[in-house]
Amino acid sequence: MTLANTEPQALTYECETGNYHTFCPISCVAWLYQKIEDSFFLVIGTKTCGYFLQNAMGVMIFAEPRYAMAELEEGDISAQLNDYEELKRLCLQIKRDRNPSVIVWIGTCTTEIIKMDLEGLAPKLEAEIGIPIVTARANGLDYAFTQGEDTVLAAMAARCPDQAPVVETEKKERNAIASLLNFGKKKEDVTADEAEYVKHPPLVLFGSLPDPVVTNLTLELKKQGIKVSGWLPSKRYTELPVLEEGYYVSGVNPFLSRTATTLMRRRKCKLIGAPFPIGPDGTRAWIEKICSVFGIEPQGLDEREAQIWANLEDYLQLIRGKSVFFMGDNLLEISLARFLIRCGMTCPEIGIPYMDKRYQAAELALLEKTCHEMGVPTPKIIEKPDNYNQIQRIKQQNIDLVITGMAHANPLEARGINTKWSVEFTFAQIHGFTNARDILELVTRPLRRNNNLKDLGWDKLVREEAKI
Amino acid sequence: MKLAYWMYAGPAHIGTLRVSSSFKNVHAIMHAPIGDDYFNVMRSMLERDRNFTPVTISSVDRNVLARGSQEKVVDNITRKDAEEHPDLIVLTPTCTSSILQEDLENFVERASIETKSDVMLADVNHYRVNELQAADITLRQIVQLYIEKARKKGDLPEGKTEKPSVNILGISSLGFHNHHDCTELKRLMVDLGIQVNEVIPEGASVHNLKNLPKAWFNLVPYREIGPMAARYLEQEFGMPYVDITPMGVVETARCIRKIQEIINAQGADVDYTDYINEQTLHVSQAAWFSRSIDCQNLTGKKAVVFGDSTHAAAITKILSREMGIHVVWAGTYCKYDAEWFKEQVGEYCDEVIVTEDHGQIGDAIARVEPSAIFGTQMERHVGKRLNIPCGVIAAPIHVQNFPIGYKPFCGYEGTNQITDLIYNSFTLGMEDHLLEIFGGHDTKEVITKGISAGSDLGWNKEAQAELNKVPGFVRGKVKRNTEKFARDRGFNVITLEVMYAAKEAVGA
């Protein structure tokens, strides 16, 4: 790094070989089946897919999950068996045993290669067995890890009702969040609640988040008088939000570009492109952008953000001035890097599987602005990184913290390099003002642990400097 | 198509990777889509490997689908050759490459022109073999490759070692307690005065494979990985092999006697009888345990066993033959090896189950209500739900089954470890009696734990109170038996009377 260069630089983008480690996108079933309570996910693939899910999901597999493999056998591959009949048999079994409100078919690499026409089969079978079948092609040929959720939500977007139900005398809340927030209130209170909102066009948020985070972000917008009319996905498939032409939508996660595209093109919604509500800076920017679209003057955000930052001070002291390196595997990297730079870290490289510069435009702009304001060099953004090359760079640059997948974490630790498993960021609650502390809890954990052990002299635990 | 929630043996490529990455300085390149390198995570997390797993992906993406891999695989092989200088690169097919039907053999040939390392295509078909079979095949293939190579160059060592010596075949990465077993087997060989010539694949260098024929015989401790390589060496060099798993007191003795026979036939003059006696009676605690009062309390208790062929067979024999425990059924998921398994355990259990369906196993456990289960992690979870203790004896396994402490299953120390595992899995003898006499020490409410069927019967207050007095570890069983009794006789509500009637009728 050249210190002399203090000119604000623009972000630079590179693309490497794509030889990197990440989770297969079918892993999205693990969190989506828990989110959508009346769903059943059927992954149509091979033993390889099954083995991955079984091992990656660990203990969840024993909790009678609402997902299963339709394991393809040699007869399926060579088309000796009839796909339609086979799927019908399995789906009827699922209907009998679990009676879900929707069956989501996850297409895999194998169904792509043998060109199994899942999108064509689904409507026929749906009509025959009377359960909606949503098809998502979440395969490793095209996508990485969290992009699996994107393919599922894009498919779900087509299933959202296109008309608000006729207003009955007793106005019933359609969506889960609203009823959750109104839980236990009398009808007149609910009506009174309506008055707390500014009049604005309906807003639907998309991205699967744990329910407490949904409540939290919804309340955060409510403070600004913004009403969230629905979430994609909702707690139940039967409660998918209404999407009429002209509705506004906004994404809460950086990997939802297909869903965003689908909502704009197919459902004629207007996308509010904002930074993502990760970190107090991101959350504030997200709220401000939504407010600005609706012509609302945001209230009290300055104090709110300042308060959050003040509460983080103990963690900030641990990471200020340290460097962080994202190897890249879950597409949260840009937002996390932007937050950590604001926390006072430097970041030479952000690896990322796929970079949608349009969908992430506002986030990228905020990253650039943050770098300039903090007076640090802008990171190199490496799309489709090459893990081997990255490890060489990590060693050259003497990185303080590497955020990486589990395949590299232990080997790096054994070489005295601090690591944090990236997967934890996908499963932890990291959105909104309230959860900023959780992000730093994760980020600082290796540093705190290694601080505790630092006097033992056990930094490098590989015998020779092994070739890597 | 089949509906599957869980599988016992992994896909073929996992087997190939387990073997190739067990060798030192062997790199595997998977012809697979992004995300299929989950093996690296397992190595790094389960085995807590300090080194980078020597496996990379030559990724299959849309471009490959459209145009074929073309130069990509060859480039990846030559690149890895330059970066890491491995001795051998194993091109590993996956389910994806199985259906793409690219000529991977051709890539291997083209790449090996430029590489310093040897290059080999793992000869496994995803749709025909599973993890264990693939591992067995790959090990044989690598052995064969280097034997033939040495033969061609004329540097295959002549003759045998001066003293009796052995190769241990089949110790591999991610194998159940393999590292500890390996140490124990080496110790055993030292005790027997037998040199360990080579251990493969774990920690071995491919350059040493040409030395394999120098050993007097091969020892194949596991059924799943190693037999093919042993048979190959027998064919080529007339090397005898011992495939008796030295697990349990009786089998360890049998294995040692077989070794004695084999090396004496080649001119050694050894008699291990005294050694076996000394170990059995005084060193291993297992034989003494069988005679002790503790073990008496286990007499006739019901157990079920499930796992890979090696471990399930060995544990069944130990339970039945060495401890007098009643093995109601024993099972394996190694369907391809069913005949051998049935022959091994037939006389030691009432019923043999061979299946890959964990649901069937769960139901079979619920049906017989054993006092303890010996199985894989899946059976452990079934046990949790049914409130039946479980000792894990075979893969699939989790991180807690890669203990840091020394816990072999093979050899004489193995017999001690297995004794502890079995004993600790059953409710301790006297505790059992005392609980029965004093009505248990917990009064937690009963939660229905049935797997096969939920409870549709009501219990009245008195009966419920009485049920709560039943000790926790048999309460589920009493509840289910009583309900079955009530259902059979058409009672809708379970009263004290029904409960006693059930107890008298079925011993619930």
Side-chain angles (χ1 to χ4, degrees):
Chain A
M1 258 174 269
T2 43
L3 290 171
N5 190 357
T6 49
E7 288 286 299
Q9 310 133 293
L11 294 167
T12 55
Y13 300 92
E14 275 175 41
C15 186
E16 277 191 310
T17 61
N19 198 337
Y20 64 104
H21 166 77
T22 183
F23 273 10
C24 172
I26 60 172
S27 51
C28 68
V29 305
W31 65 86
L32 288 176
Y33 95 81
Q34 288 184 328
K35 176 70 194 180
I36 308 169
E37 289 170 1
D38 52 353
S39 63
F40 191 97
F41 285 77
L42 184 66
V43 182
I44 304 163
T46 61
K47 253 184 186 316
T48 307
C49 314
Y51 197 67
F52 163 69
L53 275 183
Q54 161 176 335
N55 284 295
M57 298 317 142
V59 292
M60 281 197 282
I61 208 91
F62 300 109
E64 296 227 1
R66 289 187 319 279
Y67 66 84
M69 293 291 309
E71 195 184 311
L72 300 169
E73 293 167 298
E74 204 161 10
D76 298 303
I77 305 302
S78 52
Q80 284 161 8
L81 298 169
N82 179 312
D83 298 338
Y84 183 79
E85 289 304 323
E86 291 295 300
L87 284 167
K88 183 175 151 192
R89 186 169 56 81
L90 301 191
C91 288
L92 282 173
Q93 191 181 335
I94 292 165
K95 183 183 177 184
R96 195 182 59 227
D97 296 347
R98 305 295 181 93
N99 196 26
S101 309
V102 61
I103 297 177
V104 183
W105 285 353
I106 303 287
T108 62
C109 303
T110 310
T111 56
E112 286 298 311
I113 296 170
I114 64 175
K115 303 200 168 26
M116 192 184 281
D117 181 20
L118 297 177
E119 278 94 346
L121 297 174
K124 269 165 68 187
L125 192 56
E126 177 171 323
E128 197 173 340
I129 69 171
I131 295 181
I133 296 175
V134 172
T135 308
R137 301 173 170 199
N139 63 68
L141 295 168
D142 301 308
Y143 304 110
F145 198 7
T146 50
Q147 288 180 286
E149 174 180 323
D150 193 22
T151 62
V152 174
L153 296 188
M156 290 259 175
R159 301 302 184 111
C160 292
D162 52 8
Q163 242 176 16
V166 188
V167 183
E168 295 162 26
T169 37
E170 192 148 333
K171 190 178 160 196
K172 199 153 187 277
E173 288 291 347
R174 259 198 71 83
N175 96 41
I177 312 318
S179 28
L180 186 76
L181 295 175
N182 294 330
F183 182 74
K185 289 184 190 169
K186 291 202 192 86
K187 206 175 14 163
E188 47 272 32
D189 293 338
V190 176
T191 328
D193 274 354
E194 294 293 317
E196 292 173 27
Y197 294 112
V198 181
K199 206 165 161 45
H200 64 80
L203 170 69
V204 171
L205 301 179
F206 57 95
S208 164
L209 293 176
D211 294 334
V213 183
V214 167
T215 312
N216 188 278
L217 289 181
T218 308
L219 281 173
E220 215 62 72
L221 289 176
K222 190 181 173 194
K223 282 186 193 151
Q224 307 299 334
I226 295 167
K227 182 177 174 181
V228 179
S229 307
W231 281 75
L232 173 68
S234 41
K235 266 169 83 81
R236 302 178 64 83
Y237 177 77
T238 48
E239 291 162 358
L240 281 177
V242 175
L243 287 173
E244 286 183 45
E245 188 171 341
Y247 274 28
Y248 281 82
V249 291
S250 181
V252 295
N253 266 323
F255 44 78
L256 298 172
S257 45
R258 276 178 74 91
T259 310
T261 312
T262 308
L263 291 170
M264 286 189 292
R265 295 199 185 145
R266 295 281 175 80
R267 307 304 306 251
K268 311 281 182 243
C269 295
K270 293 177 185 157
L271 178 71
I272 302 175
F276 302 99
I278 293 169
D281 49 340
T283 308
R284 178 191 176 154
W286 180 71
I287 296 172
E288 280 178 343
K289 182 65 191 284
I290 295 173
C291 287
S292 79
V293 169
F294 293 142
I296 297 166
E297 185 67 35
Q299 302 295 317
L301 282 182
D302 270 337
E303 302 77 31
R304 184 105 169 93
E305 194 192 346
Q307 184 60 47
I308 298 289
W309 283 114
N311 288 340
L312 298 177
E313 186 52 32
D314 51 341
Y315 280 152
L316 296 179
Q317 281 174 7
L318 290 169
I319 54 174
R320 227 169 248 145
K322 296 216 157 66
S323 57
V324 60
F325 188 108
F326 287 85
M327 286 184 75
D329 73 342
N330 61 13
L331 285 93
L332 293 170
E333 291 87 2
I334 303 287
S335 309
L336 288 173
R338 175 261 303 151
F339 168 54
L340 292 180
I341 291 169
R342 177 63 70 184
C343 290
M345 296 186 90
T346 58
C347 179
E349 175 165 334
I350 306 175
I352 187 167
Y354 168 73
M355 182 75 248
D356 185 333
K357 288 185 202 161
R358 284 170 67 197
Y359 176 64
Q360 292 223 41
E363 183 62 90
L364 288 166
L366 183 59
L367 169 66
E368 203 173 328
K369 180 166 161 253
T370 304
C371 289
H372 297 160
E373 286 175 5
M374 299 302 290
V376 297
T378 52
K380 259 192 198 155
I381 295 173
I382 311 277
E383 213 180 336
K384 292 186 185 302
D386 184 292
N387 284 165
Y388 181 87
N389 296 343
Q390 284 184 313
I391 288 166
Q392 312 304 318
R393 294 197 288 268
I394 287 167
K395 299 184 116 186
Q396 280 161 14
Q397 294 168 340
N398 224 351
I399 299 291
D400 294 307
L401 179 68
V402 177
I403 298 189
T404 180
M406 292 196 270
H408 301 297
N410 266 337
L412 286 170
E413 288 283 348
R415 284 159 183 76
I417 297 165
N418 299 320
T419 61
K420 182 76 230 150
W421 306 336
S422 51
V423 177
E424 286 193 66
F425 293 102
T426 3
F427 294 122
Q429 304 191 354
I430 61 169
H431 292 76
F433 286 123
T434 324
N435 292 319
R437 211 176 158 79
D438 292 52
I439 308 179
L440 290 186
E441 162 69 29
L442 288 178
V443 169
T444 58
R445 194 179 296 153
L447 302 170
R448 283 179 284 132
R449 194 266 309 264
N450 294 343
N451 268 346
N452 294 339
L453 308 182
K454 70 173 186 293
D455 297 331
L456 295 169
W458 294 343
D459 279 356
K460 299 233 161 78
L461 292 153
V462 275
R463 202 156 281 145
E464 67 249 86
E465 200 35 32
K467 300 166 294 180
I468 49 171
Chain B
M1 264 180 226
K2 77 179 185 213
L3 198 61
Y5 297 88
W6 212 70
M7 69 184 80
Y8 286 104
H13 69 262
I14 298 286
T16 296
L17 298 179
R18 275 177 58 188
V19 166
S20 70
S21 67
S22 293
F23 279 107
K24 258 195 318 221
N25 216 21
V26 171
H27 200 100
I29 293 184
M30 295 170 71
H31 189 238
I34 285 287
D36 272 3
D37 57 350
Y38 193 71
F39 178 78
N40 298 32
V41 176
M42 293 178 57
R43 264 282 287 247
S44 170
M45 299 307 292
L46 296 181
E47 264 190 354
R48 296 182 202 90
D49 198 331
R50 301 178 198 208
N51 288 312
F52 292 95
T53 306
V55 174
T56 42
I57 275 189
S58 174
S59 66
V60 174
D61 55 18
R62 283 283 157 192
N63 290 330
V64 170
L65 286 197
R67 314 161 39 234
S69 291
Q70 298 197 342
E71 300 304 316
K72 198 168 186 177
V73 175
V74 177
D75 287 349
N76 277 314
I77 295 174
T78 50
R79 177 184 162 191
K80 205 36 81 181
D81 179 55
E83 281 167 359
E84 312 228 12
H85 318 291
D87 296 323
L88 169 67
I89 293 176
V90 178
L91 182 58
T92 309
T94 58
C95 58
T96 310
S97 57
S98 279
I99 33 178
L100 284 179
Q101 300 193 326
E102 285 195 83
D103 189 359
L104 297 179
E105 194 68 64
N106 173 37
F107 294 150
V108 164
E109 267 166 40
R110 277 167 51 200
S112 56
I113 297 169
E114 286 177 49
T115 56
K116 285 205 185 65
S117 56
D118 299 311
V119 189
M120 178 193 107
L121 172 66
D123 183 19
V124 294
N125 180 332
H126 175 90
Y127 294 95
R128 302 274 164 89
V129 295
N130 71 16
E131 169 188 353
L132 302 171
Q133 295 162 295
D136 203 16
I137 294 170
T138 305
L139 183 60
R140 195 225 50 219
Q141 213 188 341
I142 294 178
V143 168
Q144 187 175 352
L145 176 73
Y146 282 93
I147 294 287
E148 280 171 6
K149 198 177 166 194
R151 215 176 241 158
K152 220 175 267 171
K153 278 168 69 183
D155 63 353
L156 203 58
E158 295 279 322
K160 298 286 174 190
T161 55
E162 197 178 320
K163 286 187 179 161
S165 61
V166 62
N167 299 316
I168 301 174
L169 310 184
I171 306 291
S172 76
S173 168
L174 292 172
F176 183 70
H177 292 241
N178 270 204
H179 291 118
H180 306 304
D181 280 350
C182 183
T183 308
E184 186 61 21
L185 290 174
K186 283 184 187 165
R187 282 186 189 171
L188 180 63
M189 293 305 131
V190 170
D191 282 359
L192 299 178
I194 296 172
Q195 286 175 6
V196 177
N197 187 48
E198 295 291 338
V199 176
I200 61 166
E202 186 63 42
S205 157
V206 289
H207 297 308
N208 293 351
L209 291 175
K210 63 171 186 284
N211 296 330
L212 285 171
K214 283 169 67 185
W216 289 31
F217 71 103
N218 291 313
L219 175 62
V220 188
Y222 309 116
R223 241 348 253 176
E224 290 75 23
I225 307 179
M228 288 184 80
R231 281 197 292 274
Y232 168 76
L233 292 167
E234 186 187 42
Q235 253 169 33
E236 294 292 311
F237 304 100
M239 291 179 78
Y241 64 91
V242 177
D243 62 353
I244 299 165
T245 305
M247 205 176 282
V249 180
V250 178
E251 291 296 291
T252 303
R254 206 159 72 87
C255 177
I256 296 174
R257 275 189 227 108
K258 181 76 186 170
I259 291 173
Q260 173 181 317
E261 184 191 318
I262 280 179
I263 59 175
N264 282 351
Q266 296 177 62
D269 178 24
V270 293
D271 183 356
Y272 293 135
T273 315
D274 289 345
Y275 174 76
I276 293 172
N277 272 341
E278 173 67 11
Q279 289 290 321
T280 303
L281 299 180
H282 302 294
V283 178
S284 160
Q285 299 296 317
W288 157 235
F289 174 80
S290 310
R291 197 58 214 244
S292 72
I293 302 296
D294 282 327
C295 191
Q296 215 178 79
N297 282 328
L298 300 183
T299 306
K301 287 218 171 183
K302 289 200 284 185
V304 297
V305 182
F306 191 76
D308 58 20
S309 328
T310 304
H311 291 87
I315 298 293
T316 303
K317 290 179 195 169
I318 293 170
L319 289 170
S320 167
R321 191 163 54 185
E322 298 178 18
M323 294 182 171
I325 289 163
H326 177 193
V327 180
V328 185
W329 55 258
T332 180
Y333 53 82
C334 298
K335 279 171 96 168
Y336 61 94
D337 202 22
E339 286 314 307
W340 179 87
F341 186 76
K342 283 178 190 158
E343 182 204 312
Q344 291 292 308
V345 303
E347 57 178 307
Y348 299 110
C349 59
D350 304 346
E351 186 191 349
V352 177
I353 302 180
V354 178
T355 181
E356 289 173 333
D357 177 2
H358 77 276
Q360 195 186 332
I361 292 300
D363 286 343
I365 294 172
R367 170 164 55 83
V368 298
E369 310 256 1
S371 306
I373 306 168
F374 299 93
T376 71
Q377 277 293 334
M378 192 64 194
E379 283 68 52
R380 192 174 73 85
H381 282 266
V382 173
K384 261 190 188 165
R385 272 196 282 173
L386 295 171
N387 213 359
I388 301 170
C390 177
V392 175
I393 54 138
I397 38 184
H398 282 331
V399 68
Q400 68 263 40
N401 303 112
F402 289 89
I404 292 170
Y406 185 55
K407 290 200 163 53
F409 270 58
C410 284
Y412 285 108
E413 177 55 24
T415 64
N416 293 337
Q417 296 294 334
I418 294 172
T419 301
D420 279 344
L421 177 79
I422 292 174
Y423 185 56
N424 293 339
S425 299
F426 285 97
T427 311
L428 306 182
M430 283 313 281
E431 189 189 1
D432 189 338
H433 288 307
L434 293 173
L435 285 171
E436 224 164 87
I437 292 164
F438 296 114
H441 47 50
D442 66 356
T443 49
K444 269 184 292 184
E445 290 217 12
V446 174
I447 308 156
T448 309
K449 291 204 171 77
I451 280 193
S452 315
S455 174
D456 52 345
L457 285 160
W459 288 65
N460 80 1
K461 221 166 107 196
E462 289 84 343
Q464 184 66 50
E466 188 64 20
L467 181 64
N468 288 346
K469 288 186 204 156
V470 175
F473 59 93
V474 287
R475 194 181 296 144
K477 183 170 163 181
V478 170
K479 181 164 190 275
R480 275 188 296 277
N481 283 348
T482 310
E483 286 178 354
K484 182 170 183 298
F485 173 85
R487 222 173 274 127
D488 290 346
R489 281 167 184 69
F491 295 111
N492 294 323
V493 176
I494 292 168
T495 59
L496 275 180
E497 283 78 3
V498 176
M499 222 178 145
Y500 290 131
K503 189 174 167 66
E504 283 152 24
V506 293

